[in-house]
Amino acid sequence: MEAHKKPESTNKIIAFLTNETVHFVLGLALVIFAVYLLLAFSSFFFTGAADQSILDKADPQELSSINNGVRNYAGSRGAQLAGYLIDDCFGLASFFLLIFLAVAGLKLMRVRAFRLWKWFMCCSLLLVWFSIFFGFAFVDHYQDSFFRWGGGHGDYVSRWLESQVGTPGVWMLLLGTAICFFIYASTQTIVWLRRLLSLSFVKRRRKEEAGLSTDGAFVREPVAPGPVVAPKPDDDIEIEFQPTGAEEAPGVEPDDEDGFKPGFIIEAATGDEDNYQGPEREPYNPKLDLENYRFPVLDLMKRYDNNEPTINMDEQKANKDRIINTLRSFGIEISSIKATVGPTVTLYEITPEQGVRISKIRGLEDDIALSLSALGIRIIAPIPGKGTIGIEVPNSNPRIVSMHSIISSRKFQESTFDLPIAFGKTITNEVFMVDLCKMPHVLVAGATGQGKSVGLNAIIASLLYKKHPAELKFVLVDPKKVEFSIYSVIENHFLAKLPDGKEAIITDVTKVVQTLNSICVEMDSRYDLLKKAHVRNIKEYNDKFISRKLNPEKGHKFMPYIVVIIDEFGDLIMTAGKEVELPIARIAQLARAIGIHMVIATQRPTTNIITGTIKANFPARVAFRVSAMMDSRTILDRPGANQLIGRGDMLFLQGADPVRVQCAFVDTPEVEEITKYIARQQSYPVAFHLPEYVNPDGGSDMGDVDMERLDPLFEEAARLIVIHQQGSTSLIQRKFSIGYNRAGRIMDQLEKAGITGPSEGSKPRQVMCMTEADLEMLLNNL
């Protein structure tokens, strides 16, 4: 009994310390204390001299009295703190203590999402550095002052350092540590130092004097072919071309410093992405737009009292005896029996005597169920990897597996999966997790009310707790219109939709077909980018993009994972048929490498819904309880799902043998709290837009475009398109911060004017005007 109480008390302490209300109150106290210290420090500079004589001579009782004579605005205690921290400790640098206290308080109150460890390191380093700096540099200025500018710490350490390395050595130490601090604070410091030490500004000036402008364009008239310097990119890389047999032109002296010789301009080939290196040396941060995003906290989910494993020894002994007696009545003797108690099911492992046929035990499934008076008996003969036979028996008092217990587990928190999904717990009470990237698509099936919708919510919740909005987007298809509506509030954070879609949760069958075809366009576009980048999958591509080895001006971009979740797939098949099945099959066959994954669910697991094409491309299956063995065979290619007990009891199949799992329970109010927590934070301006899908059967009618009422941004958009030589609606939308519909109308006007060509699906439109001069002529003729 005592063994069960101790973990419970520990959990209560942990729950108290991690409670959001406790964090807020503690944070508020830290902020108030920081303000109090600021008042004491500020008053110290004006009243410290008068208060010092009182504080030095007074005993504690005098300071506790009302008429203590202390003039500091923060009272006697504030005067003591200010005198101790400023004069005895760190001097003027003590203000960094106040900054850290305020930052820590605001983080605990969740007013701002600070990186507390980095703030702690920076404030600590600055506290020590400035204490020594003031104590060393201004030692002659505070001889007559009532306090030491660097405090006792700065005064002593600076004098000790000066005795060891001398005055120049102290200055060099201060300079070196300051540079190291700036490198720690920002890696951009290294870039600035390299430019400073390489004297690149001097070289640039000399080139200007030699006739080369700052942007790398030649301004002298060409005289004769010679060594030609290509235009200098922003990252200070110089490329030289030496024509074979080139001779110096008479009368032209080369610049010995830079090797410059006037000549014609040669543009370097830029098709090879392997040689590209962006101007920025610091890695690209895809999370920078939402750098203050905070992941959902554990307090948003409910804890359950019966979450801890309990063993009813009377029940286990009774079941053991019944299994032994039932097998014995059919002439089967066993040499050993072992029980493993899970959340809802207990696994009894039996070792039969020599010579007993396994098929004979397998045929006694109904007889064992009758003797135990239980539903959901399942015999595993034999258990894979063991020389035993398993009999799964439901517990009389099943426990709820809460989503809180799964998300808070060490296995989930320390998971390194790219797309981690935590389903629940196995019979051995282990957290069951899978990586959606490796699955790579999931088929979920089960009868009504058996836990299918809860399972889908568990999948989404797992990903929301682990992935940043920059890394993941959902496409949610909900023909019933009520299952996924709860996620609409996080549209601009995590959802993807068609550019002209009014709602991110797709409920209309026509929109479903368009969306799936749009995802196919996105898939083809991503494969084109992978081909240009010479990589094989999205992980290698993103790593290369983050390292700035891919040129954004060539269309390269950071790719988030896209997870398509379709509820009630059966309804879509019945209403749209092949129009839905074909793009789904195409996505399932090809989309794994470019980070698009599908989860489809149905409550009618029949062969006309889950066709051979679907099954072949969805190797991972999740089966909740179904009513007939035929349905189980449709999902899992074997019986078993018809023997489950419901309420989240499921079989997961990926490979040879299914695993029985109790799905974690996440209730609708919990999902609401999670989505509200995310929705309250800063988001992207719009949802993630999927590319345009142009139906090949339907042409584009440009007769409706009114060229008499051009958009005010028409001319600016035209110049943008010609300068970039890329006819893209998303480019106009992004550069001018306008909606997609308006950008689409501008693109239609550009096409009607002959500036761009017609749409080519996922590819950018062809730009008809090659130069700005051509564009001006065309605009004048409009």
Side-chain angles (χ1 to χ4, degrees):
M1 198 69 174
E2 196 64 35
H4 290 287
K5 283 183 180 179
K6 191 172 181 181
E8 185 177 354
S9 61
T10 305
N11 289 337
K12 287 182 178 179
I13 294 172
I14 294 173
F16 175 78
L17 294 176
T18 57
N19 186 274
E20 187 172 355
T21 305
V22 175
H23 283 182
F24 186 89
V25 173
L26 182 59
L28 182 62
L30 288 176
V31 172
I32 292 174
F33 184 58
V35 174
Y36 174 75
L37 285 179
L38 178 62
L39 181 65
F41 283 14
S42 302
S43 179
F44 175 79
F45 298 117
F46 303 100
T47 63
D51 292 340
Q52 190 171 21
S53 58
I54 300 175
L55 295 174
D56 290 343
K57 297 176 182 178
D59 56 24
Q61 290 184 350
E62 291 179 4
L63 292 177
S64 301
S65 64
I66 296 175
N67 300 318
N68 51 30
V70 175
R71 297 171 57 188
N72 192 292
Y73 300 150
S76 60
R77 304 306 171 193
Q80 283 181 308
L81 282 171
Y84 174 73
L85 291 174
I86 294 179
D87 188 42
D88 296 340
C89 293
F90 301 105
L92 298 174
S94 299
F95 279 93
F96 288 107
L97 293 171
L98 312 190
I99 295 173
F100 178 72
L101 287 175
V103 167
L106 292 174
K107 180 175 176 62
L108 286 172
M109 294 169 68
R110 291 183 182 165
V111 175
R112 289 289 301 273
F114 294 105
R115 297 177 184 174
L116 199 57
W117 177 249
K118 191 163 187 176
W119 275 91
F120 173 75
M121 291 298 296
C122 288
C123 288
S124 300
L125 292 171
L126 290 172
L127 179 74
V128 174
W129 192 90
F130 274 103
S131 174
I132 299 172
F133 174 75
F134 285 129
F136 174 71
F138 299 97
V139 64
D140 296 329
H141 293 75
Y142 60 79
Q143 294 295 336
D144 299 329
S145 177
F146 66 92
F147 75 96
R148 292 167 286 187
W149 289 17
H153 166 267
D155 185 57
Y156 174 77
V157 174
S158 62
R159 284 191 288 108
W160 181 82
L161 287 174
E162 190 174 11
S163 69
Q164 301 299 310
V165 297
T167 302
V170 177
W171 280 115
M172 285 187 282
L173 278 174
L174 288 171
L175 177 63
T177 51
I179 292 173
C180 291
F181 169 78
F182 284 118
I183 292 173
Y184 172 76
S186 173
T187 53
Q188 191 67 24
T189 306
I190 299 176
V191 179
W192 296 334
L193 288 173
R194 282 174 177 162
R195 290 177 180 174
L196 180 65
L197 297 175
S198 64
L199 301 178
S200 58
F201 59 93
V202 177
K203 292 181 180 179
R204 191 179 297 113
R205 185 176 178 182
R206 287 177 177 172
K207 285 184 179 181
E208 289 175 2
E209 293 173 355
L212 184 66
S213 65
T214 54
D215 61 352
F218 290 97
V219 296
R220 294 184 185 177
E221 292 296 325
V223 179
V228 182
V229 182
K232 185 176 179 180
D234 292 337
D235 54 2
D236 294 328
I237 297 177
E238 295 184 4
I239 307 170
E240 291 192 1
F241 300 91
Q242 178 66 50
T244 306
E247 296 179 359
E248 291 187 12
V252 178
E253 292 296 328
D255 189 327
D256 294 334
E257 180 71 19
D258 295 303
F260 169 78
K261 297 178 183 179
F264 55 88
I265 300 174
I266 299 178
E267 184 175 335
T270 55
D272 189 359
E273 294 289 352
D274 289 337
N275 295 329
Y276 176 79
Q277 178 62 54
E280 296 290 338
R281 294 293 186 268
E282 189 172 354
Y284 172 75
N285 180 13
K287 304 176 184 178
L288 189 61
D289 291 338
L290 299 182
E291 62 178 343
N292 293 324
Y293 175 79
R294 302 186 302 274
F295 289 92
V297 295
L298 294 174
D299 291 343
L300 301 173
M301 289 182 293
K302 186 178 178 182
R303 293 181 175 88
Y304 291 88
D305 295 334
N306 64 342
N307 195 40
E308 294 299 322
T310 56
I311 300 176
N312 188 332
M313 294 306 300
D314 294 335
E315 178 187 355
Q316 301 306 322
K317 189 174 185 304
N319 286 344
K320 181 197 71 171
D321 293 338
R322 286 172 187 156
I323 291 173
I324 293 174
N325 292 334
T326 301
L327 293 175
R328 188 171 290 160
S329 65
F330 287 94
I332 299 173
E333 295 291 335
I334 61 175
S335 58
S336 65
I337 183 168
K338 173 188 173 185
T340 304
V341 182
T344 56
V345 175
T346 298
L347 172 65
Y348 295 92
E349 295 183 46
I350 62 173
T351 305
E353 293 285 358
Q354 196 72 24
V356 176
R357 296 175 63 114
I358 293 178
S359 58
K360 190 175 181 181
I361 298 177
R362 192 184 289 119
L364 299 176
E365 196 168 65
D366 294 335
D367 299 283
I368 296 173
L370 179 65
S371 68
L372 296 174
S373 303
L375 297 173
I377 299 291
R378 198 170 75 101
I379 294 181
I380 310 170
I383 295 177
K386 296 183 179 181
T388 58
I389 295 172
I391 302 175
E392 295 176 346
V393 181
N395 297 333
S396 58
N397 295 311
R399 291 186 296 108
I400 294 176
V401 176
S402 67
M403 197 67 192
H404 181 279
S405 66
I406 304 300
I407 298 295
S408 62
S409 67
R410 176 177 293 182
K411 186 173 183 179
F412 182 82
Q413 294 293 329
E414 297 179 357
S415 169
T416 57
F417 290 163
D418 293 319
L419 289 176
I421 294 177
F423 276 112
K425 289 187 177 180
T426 63
I427 290 178
T428 57
N429 282 296
E430 295 178 354
V431 173
F432 183 77
M433 285 183 60
V434 291
D435 188 354
L436 183 58
C437 286
K438 296 179 180 178
M439 295 164 71
H441 311 288
V442 191
L443 174 63
V444 182
T448 303
Q450 302 305 316
K452 177 169 53 64
S453 296
V454 174
L456 293 178
N457 284 333
I459 291 173
I460 298 174
S462 300
L463 295 172
L464 291 179
Y465 265 88
K466 277 298 233 183
K467 305 306 289 184
H468 188 276
E471 301 172 310
L472 173 66
K473 302 296 175 185
F474 290 102
V475 175
L476 301 180
V477 179
D478 182 16
K480 290 197 297 189
K481 303 182 180 181
V482 294
E483 291 295 337
F484 293 148
S485 60
I486 198 170
Y487 296 103
S488 61
V489 295
I490 60 172
E491 174 180 331
N492 291 355
H493 291 87
F494 279 103
L495 301 190
K497 66 176 184 179
L498 292 171
D500 57 348
K502 294 181 179 179
E503 297 180 357
I505 311 297
I506 305 161
T507 57
D508 183 50
V509 175
T510 306
K511 289 291 184 183
V512 173
V513 176
Q514 293 179 8
T515 302
L516 291 174
N517 284 307
S518 177
I519 294 172
C520 290
V521 175
E522 174 73 10
M523 178 180 72
D524 295 336
S525 175
R526 288 189 173 196
Y527 267 116
D528 289 340
L529 292 177
L530 259 66
K531 178 182 176 183
K532 291 179 182 177
H534 308 299
V535 294
R536 299 182 61 183
N537 56 57
I538 186 174
K539 194 168 184 180
E540 294 177 6
Y541 178 91
N542 282 340
D543 289 344
K544 205 169 183 179
F545 186 84
I546 289 172
S547 302
R548 299 189 184 275
K549 295 180 180 178
L550 299 175
N551 191 348
E553 295 182 359
K554 299 290 184 62
H556 291 292
K557 57 188 177 182
F558 182 83
M559 296 182 188
Y561 288 100
I562 298 177
V563 178
V564 185
I565 302 181
I566 303 176
D567 194 16
E568 296 304 335
F569 176 68
D571 289 344
L572 295 180
I573 289 292
M574 292 178 65
T575 53
K578 292 292 183 183
E579 286 186 273
V580 169
E581 185 179 357
L582 290 178
I584 285 178
R586 187 162 182 263
I587 293 169
Q589 288 171 348
L590 300 173
R592 173 180 183 173
I594 42 85
I596 300 177
H597 305 276
M598 299 196 73
V599 179
I600 62 175
T602 180
Q603 63 180 4
R604 290 194 292 258
T606 56
T607 52
N608 61 330
I609 302 295
I610 305 177
T611 62
T613 305
I614 296 296
K615 289 178 66 175
N617 293 293
F618 283 77
R621 321 273 174 80
V622 175
F624 292 90
R625 189 185 180 204
V626 295
S627 55
M629 183 187 294
M630 185 59 67
D631 293 341
S632 178
R633 290 187 181 277
T634 303
I635 308 167
L636 303 173
D637 298 321
R638 70 197 73 197
N642 56 308
Q643 299 166 318
L644 300 174
I645 61 176
R647 295 177 63 85
D649 191 16
M650 58 172 258
L651 290 174
F652 177 84
L653 176 67
Q654 187 181 15
D657 300 292
V659 179
R660 192 166 187 174
V661 179
Q662 177 59 42
C663 184
F665 179 67
V666 51
D667 204 1
T668 303
E670 297 176 73
V671 179
E672 284 183 353
E673 290 299 318
I674 295 170
T675 54
K676 286 179 182 177
Y677 182 88
I678 296 172
R680 285 194 294 264
Q681 302 184 51
Q682 179 188 358
S683 68
Y684 296 106
V686 294
F688 183 84
H689 280 163
L690 296 170
E692 297 176 88
Y693 170 69
V694 180
N695 191 341
D697 298 331
S700 125
D701 185 10
M702 297 303 298
D704 297 336
V705 179
D706 187 3
M707 296 301 291
E708 297 298 326
R709 300 175 60 187
L710 294 175
D711 191 280
L713 294 174
F714 174 79
E715 292 191 9
E716 291 183 56
R719 291 187 178 90
L720 177 72
I721 293 297
V722 171
I723 290 172
H724 286 79
Q725 286 294 302
Q726 181 182 356
S728 168
T729 305
S730 60
L731 175 65
I732 297 175
Q733 181 189 8
R734 187 172 65 252
K735 290 294 183 182
F736 297 113
S737 300
I738 60 177
Y740 189 87
N741 292 334
R742 184 181 178 186
R745 287 193 297 271
I746 294 175
M747 184 58 73
D748 291 339
Q749 293 173 354
L750 292 171
E751 181 183 348
K752 188 73 177 285
I755 298 171
T756 64
S759 173
E760 300 180 17
S762 62
K763 298 180 181 178
R765 296 169 184 249
Q766 185 178 358
V767 182
M768 301 303 182
C769 297
M770 301 305 294
T771 64
E772 291 189 64
D774 295 340
L775 175 63
E776 292 298 331
M777 290 179 60
L778 193 150
L779 292 176
N780 292 332
N781 293 330
L782 284 178

